[in-house]
């Protein structure tokens, strides 16, 4: 920002000198020369002049007040006034952020080591390459992009969490601008929430505490979780196109794939990844208005796609009928309830919210791409509000040649059945130019009028436009680890899903996905044992079916075309499964 202000000041000074020269010469310049001068002055904003030596210096290198003649039009004086105001605010912002950083470093911590996403982005975290700012907290660095239909703005040195920014430059007659920062939590970064109110005219700052996000009673306060898988992928994943070519017209769930096509997670655990940012629902439950609440719900719906950013080459293991998976962090329980067509149901809950969903789908092979069409509905209850939505299609591109990638396109409509407010999210298709993975949203009030606009990316963040000068960050994704590409493209949250921590040993039922021998063998890099165990597990399911002893859903009951949580799982768990007859699936 400091470099930009300096360049802007140099450009303003050049423009003042050239206009003054033109005024003195009158009509001595021809039209062509005048156009060249104006063009040069305009583009001088993007240049750093090394052979100019202005006579007056300031904090940014120039003092243009003395260079603005009184004979120039009033517009030049207003431009100079705005520039001086911007310089003053920049200086105060640096001082405010320095004090804020010192306080944050002494009061906050992170349970997991900070990670950056890619090697190429490490320059953003290098103090030597940053702009002239005293902020130096590498673990809290992030970049925020606000994307429109044809532009992309980036903000740096922002703290993680839900934040509000003031984007206008006030005149001296206006009230001081404010920047409000409200720290929110992620599933891997549970921190105390705080709200900082920084007054740009007064260097004194006040810090007010915000309600803490108390973890679930089932979650142990001190659980050490791993930050890396035991083994990277072993062997080549093979050609997905070759498999599809031999099974044209078939559903992928009915095709037997070699274990090298799998990643060490089941579809039940993949469902848990969609609820990684469950803290957004805590924010939604605390929202005062119905409009703000549905905005948070929309951000949660978008966040469920974040884990797919680097997941294009391999598929999750198909669960066995009756297989389950739990996650205490959001009281998540999932179960495979139908074999053909494959259907899974899952349920999660938190403070004043409850999530229930049925997940299934079908596929279409389009030659160069594979379309994944999600089926099933997601239901979310927050207090008296009941939200319903269905997911749009996803496409796996470049199946034959090139780098495969996932693209989510289409519209996702979230409706509040209580007051008929709705949010229409539009997942934009990627193009050759411009930003990718863009999502825009429009919130409609009970009368059908547009009341709010949302903007963001499904792999980055979602923002809420408050007015022409303010926007609020509803959610921001946790950065991927630097070596994510070497470990199946998993997020930090995904790495923990198949881990058997001390608080789970002897507590989870024998049907839990963490106990599957084929998934465990693949996670440890033993391909031969994984292939052998996969065949054994699948044959055991076929044998149960032949004997009429197939497993029946235990924790979910069918209601129409959907499956609803029947309850009782966590109560049976607290009793250490006494009185429950649960057969092993492998």
């Amino acid at each position: 920002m400091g470099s930009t202000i300096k360049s802007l000041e140099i450009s303003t000074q050049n423009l003042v000198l050239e206009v003054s020269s033109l005024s003195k010469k009158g009509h001595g310049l021809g039209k062509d020369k005048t156009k060249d001068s104006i063009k040069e002055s305009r583009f001088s904003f993007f240049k750093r002049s090394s052979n100019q030596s202005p006579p007056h210096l300031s904090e940014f290198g120039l003092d243009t007040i003395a260079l603005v003649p009184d004979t120039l039009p009033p517009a030049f004086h207003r431009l100079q006034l705005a520039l001086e105001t911007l310089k003053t605010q920049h200086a105060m912002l640096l001082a405010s952020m320095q004090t804020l950083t010192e306080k944050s470093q002494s009061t906050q911590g992170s349970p997991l080591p900070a990670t950056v996403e890619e090697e190429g982005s490490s320059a953003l975290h290098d103090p030597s390459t940053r702009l002239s700012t005293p902020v130096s907290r590498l673990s809290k660095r992030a970049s925020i992009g606000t994307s429109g239909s044809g532009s992309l703005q980036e903000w740096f040195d922002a703290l993680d969490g839900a934040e509000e920014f003031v984007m206008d430059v006030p005149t001296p007659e206006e009230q001081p601008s404010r920047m409000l920062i409200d720290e929110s939590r992620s599933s891997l970064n549970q921190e105390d929430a705080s709200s900082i109110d920084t007054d740009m005219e007064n260097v004194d700052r006040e810090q007010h505490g915000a309600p803490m996000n108390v973890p679930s009673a089932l979650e142990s306060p001190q659980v050490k979780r791993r930050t890396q898988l035991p083994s990277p992928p072993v062997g080549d994943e093979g050609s997905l196109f070759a498999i599809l070519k031999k099974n044209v017209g078939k559903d992928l769930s009915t095709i037997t794939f070699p274990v090298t096509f799998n990643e060490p997670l089941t579809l039940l655990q993949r469902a848990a990844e969609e609820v990684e940012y469950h803290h957004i629902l805590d924010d939604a439950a605390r929202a005062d208005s119905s409009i703000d609440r549905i905005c948070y719900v929309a951000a949660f719906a978008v966040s469920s796609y974040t884990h797919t950013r680097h997941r294009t080459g391999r598929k999750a293991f198909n669960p066995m009928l009756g297989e389950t998976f739990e996650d205490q962090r959001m009281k998540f329980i999932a179960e495979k309830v139908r074999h053909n067509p494959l259907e899974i149901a899952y349920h999660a809950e938190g403070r004043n919210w409850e999530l229930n969903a049925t997940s299934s789908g079908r596929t279409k092979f389009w030659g160069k791409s594979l379309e994944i069409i999600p089926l099933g509905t997601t239901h979310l209850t927050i207090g008296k509000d009941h939200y319903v939505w269905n997911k749009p299609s996803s496409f796996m591109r470049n199946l034959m040649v090139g780098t495969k990638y996932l693209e989510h396109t289409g519209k996702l409509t979230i409706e509040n059945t209580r007051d008929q407010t709705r949010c229409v999210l539009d997942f934009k298709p990627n193009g050759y130019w411009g930003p990718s993975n863009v999502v825009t949203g429009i919130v409609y009030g009970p009368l059908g009028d547009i009341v709010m606009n949302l903007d963001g990316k499904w792999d980055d963040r979602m923002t809420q436009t408050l007015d022409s000068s303010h926007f609020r960050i509803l959610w921001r994704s946790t950065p991927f680890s630097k070596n994510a590409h070497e470990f199946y493209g998993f997020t930090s949250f995904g790495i923990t899903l198949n881990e058997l921590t001390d608080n789970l040993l002897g507590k989870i039922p024998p049907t839990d996905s963490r106990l599957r021998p084929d998934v465990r063998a693949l996670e440890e890099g033993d391909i031969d044992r994984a292939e052998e165990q996969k065949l054994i597990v699948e044959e055991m399911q076929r044998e149960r079916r032949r004997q009429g002893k197939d497993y029946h859903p235990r924790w979910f009951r069918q209601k129409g075309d959907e499956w609803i949580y029947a309850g009782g799982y966590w109560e049976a768990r607290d009793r250490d499964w006494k009185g429950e007859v649960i057969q092993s699936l492998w």
Side-chain angles (χ1 to χ4, degrees):
M1 183 176 178
S3 302
T4 303
I5 294 176
K6 182 176 180 180
S7 300
L8 179 61
E9 195 168 17
I10 293 174
S11 301
T12 304
Q13 182 254 347
N14 291 339
L15 182 61
V16 168
L17 294 179
E18 292 183 12
V19 173
S20 299
S21 176
L22 290 176
S23 299
K24 293 179 181 180
K25 293 181 180 181
H27 300 283
L29 294 175
K31 292 183 179 180
D32 295 339
K33 191 171 182 180
T34 303
K35 291 181 180 179
D36 293 341
S37 300
I38 294 175
K39 182 178 180 180
E40 179 67 25
S41 65
R42 287 176 179 173
F43 285 94
S44 63
F45 174 80
F46 300 99
K47 300 178 181 178
R48 290 183 179 273
S49 177
S50 58
N51 45 8
Q52 293 179 352
S53 55
H56 300 279
L57 297 176
S58 66
E59 179 187 356
F60 292 93
L62 290 170
D63 184 4
T64 58
I65 296 180
L67 297 176
V68 181
D70 296 333
T71 57
L72 292 180
F76 285 93
H77 294 277
R78 289 195 297 269
L79 175 62
Q80 178 60 30
L81 181 60
L83 182 60
E84 291 301 320
T85 303
L86 183 62
K87 289 163 53 179
T88 303
Q89 290 185 350
H90 177 260
M92 290 183 177
L93 179 61
L94 293 183
S96 302
M97 294 179 70
Q98 174 66 28
T99 305
L100 174 62
T101 302
E102 294 172 356
K103 290 183 179 180
S104 300
Q105 287 177 331
S106 61
T107 59
Q108 295 183 349
S110 176
L112 287 182
T115 57
V116 292
E117 182 170 337
E118 297 171 358
E119 288 283 353
S121 63
S122 60
L124 294 176
H125 302 263
D126 187 356
S128 64
T129 64
R130 294 163 54 190
L131 301 180
S132 55
T133 171
V135 181
S136 59
R137 285 183 61 199
L138 300 187
S139 63
K140 304 294 288 183
R141 294 257 326 175
S143 63
I144 310 166
T146 59
S147 60
S149 58
S151 63
L152 181 67
Q153 302 175 1
E154 290 191 357
W155 300 75
F156 296 96
D157 296 325
L159 295 175
D160 292 340
E163 305 152 32
E164 294 184 7
F165 292 90
V166 177
M167 303 172 63
D168 58 333
V169 181
T171 60
E173 292 81 8
E174 295 177 340
Q175 294 295 325
S177 60
R178 293 175 180 268
M179 178 177 69
L180 303 179
I181 303 179
D182 182 15
E183 286 263 329
S184 66
R185 288 77 48 211
S186 72
S187 57
L188 289 171
N189 190 16
Q190 301 285 345
E191 296 183 329
D192 294 348
S194 62
S195 177
I196 301 106
D197 185 359
T198 305
D199 194 326
M200 291 302 185
E201 275 191 3
N202 192 345
V203 183
D204 295 332
R205 290 154 297 275
E206 273 183 295
Q207 184 165 345
H208 308 281
M212 293 178 61
N213 183 30
V214 181
S216 169
L218 290 172
E219 178 72 21
S220 301
Q222 298 293 334
V223 178
K224 272 188 86 172
R225 300 189 183 276
R226 64 188 181 187
T227 58
Q228 187 168 299
L229 293 176
S231 171
V234 177
D236 186 19
E237 66 187 63
S239 173
L240 179 60
F241 177 74
I243 298 291
L244 296 175
K245 186 174 60 175
K246 298 177 182 178
N247 296 273
V248 174
K250 293 185 179 180
D251 189 356
L252 281 182
S253 61
T254 64
I255 302 174
T256 301
F257 286 85
V259 75
T260 53
F261 279 89
N262 290 107
E263 61 184 17
L265 289 178
T266 68
L267 288 175
L268 302 175
Q269 294 165 315
R270 286 288 295 266
E273 287 188 285
E274 298 181 2
V275 198
E276 173 181 354
Y277 297 96
H278 56 87
H279 71 272
I280 307 175
L281 299 181
D282 296 329
D283 297 332
R286 289 192 294 265
D288 296 328
S289 69
S290 176
I291 301 302
D292 286 341
R293 178 168 293 176
I294 199 172
C295 289
Y296 280 111
V297 173
F300 170 77
V302 173
S303 72
S304 65
Y305 290 92
T306 304
H307 68 281
T308 66
R309 178 174 182 179
H310 302 301
R311 309 275 279 279
T312 58
R314 301 173 188 265
K315 63 184 291 289
F317 282 82
N318 282 343
M320 301 296 106
L321 189 60
E323 186 174 335
T324 61
F325 177 76
E326 69 166 59
D327 195 310
Q328 296 173 277
R329 287 169 282 191
M330 57 282 198
K331 291 192 72 174
F332 177 92
I333 172 65
E335 182 180 14
K336 181 178 177 180
V337 294
R338 179 174 292 171
H339 180 68
N340 191 15
L342 190 151
E343 286 185 355
I344 64 174
Y346 60 88
H347 175 271
E349 60 183 89
R351 287 190 173 182
N352 203 32
W353 62 266
E354 185 176 357
L355 181 73
N356 204 93
T358 303
S359 178
S360 61
R362 55 191 178 91
T363 57
K364 282 185 179 180
F365 180 46
W366 294 98
K368 294 182 180 179
S369 62
L370 177 71
E371 181 180 6
I372 304 167
I373 306 172
L375 303 175
T377 305
T378 302
H379 297 265
L380 172 65
T381 302
I382 303 179
K384 297 181 180 180
D385 292 325
H386 180 214
Y387 301 92
V388 181
W389 68 87
N390 299 90
K391 296 181 178 180
S393 292
S394 301
F395 292 85
M396 184 180 294
R397 306 292 191 186
N398 295 340
L399 284 182
M400 292 189 293
V401 294
T403 302
K404 292 191 291 290
Y405 67 93
L406 270 177
E407 182 180 29
H408 310 290
T409 62
K411 294 185 183 297
L412 187 155
T413 301
I414 303 171
E415 182 178 0
N416 185 349
T417 59
R418 180 183 66 85
D419 61 2
Q420 280 68 54
T421 56
R422 60 191 175 95
C423 176
V424 179
L425 294 168
D426 189 4
F427 289 72
K428 304 288 187 181
N430 295 338
Y432 289 103
W433 311 106
S436 58
N437 306 335
V438 172
V439 182
T440 60
I442 301 177
V443 179
Y444 297 90
L447 301 179
D449 53 327
I450 298 177
V451 295
M452 193 67 66
N453 289 283
L454 306 178
D455 182 69
K457 295 184 176 184
W458 56 259
D459 61 341
D460 185 11
R461 48 89 191 111
M462 283 297 291
T463 61
Q464 174 187 3
T465 303
L466 302 178
D467 54 43
S468 60
S469 303
H470 302 72
F471 71 93
R472 175 189 295 140
I473 295 182
L474 302 170
W475 153 78
R476 186 187 303 147
S477 65
T478 303
F480 282 75
S481 62
K482 186 164 52 176
N483 58 352
H485 290 283
E486 302 173 12
F487 290 90
Y488 301 95
F490 283 3
T491 63
S492 298
F493 179 80
I495 290 174
T496 67
L497 289 177
N498 202 48
E499 181 183 16
L500 274 172
T501 54
D502 294 338
N503 65 319
L504 295 176
L505 295 174
K507 286 289 187 180
I508 57 177
T511 56
D512 195 279
S513 295
R514 297 179 182 89
L515 302 178
R516 278 189 62 159
D518 50 350
V519 178
R520 183 64 59 189
L522 179 62
E523 182 184 85
E524 295 172 353
D526 192 340
I527 294 293
D528 294 335
R529 184 163 62 93
E531 189 71 58
E532 177 185 351
Q533 291 296 326
K534 182 173 181 285
L535 294 176
I536 293 175
V537 170
E538 291 173 349
E539 183 58 32
M540 289 178 66
Q541 178 172 251
R542 297 187 190 100
E543 184 62 26
R544 286 193 298 269
R545 190 178 301 115
R546 285 192 292 263
Q547 296 179 3
K549 299 179 180 179
D550 221 345
Y551 203 93
H552 296 287
R554 188 182 189 91
W555 310 113
F556 291 83
R557 58 182 174 84
Q558 192 170 12
K559 184 178 180 181
D561 294 332
E562 301 177 3
W563 293 82
I564 307 298
Y565 178 56
Y569 178 86
W570 300 106
E571 292 77 7
R573 188 184 192 275
D574 291 339
R575 298 193 305 267
D576 293 328
W577 312 106
K578 292 180 180 178
E580 302 288 339
V581 179
I582 303 177
Q583 68 182 82
S584 177
L585 301 177
W586 34 76

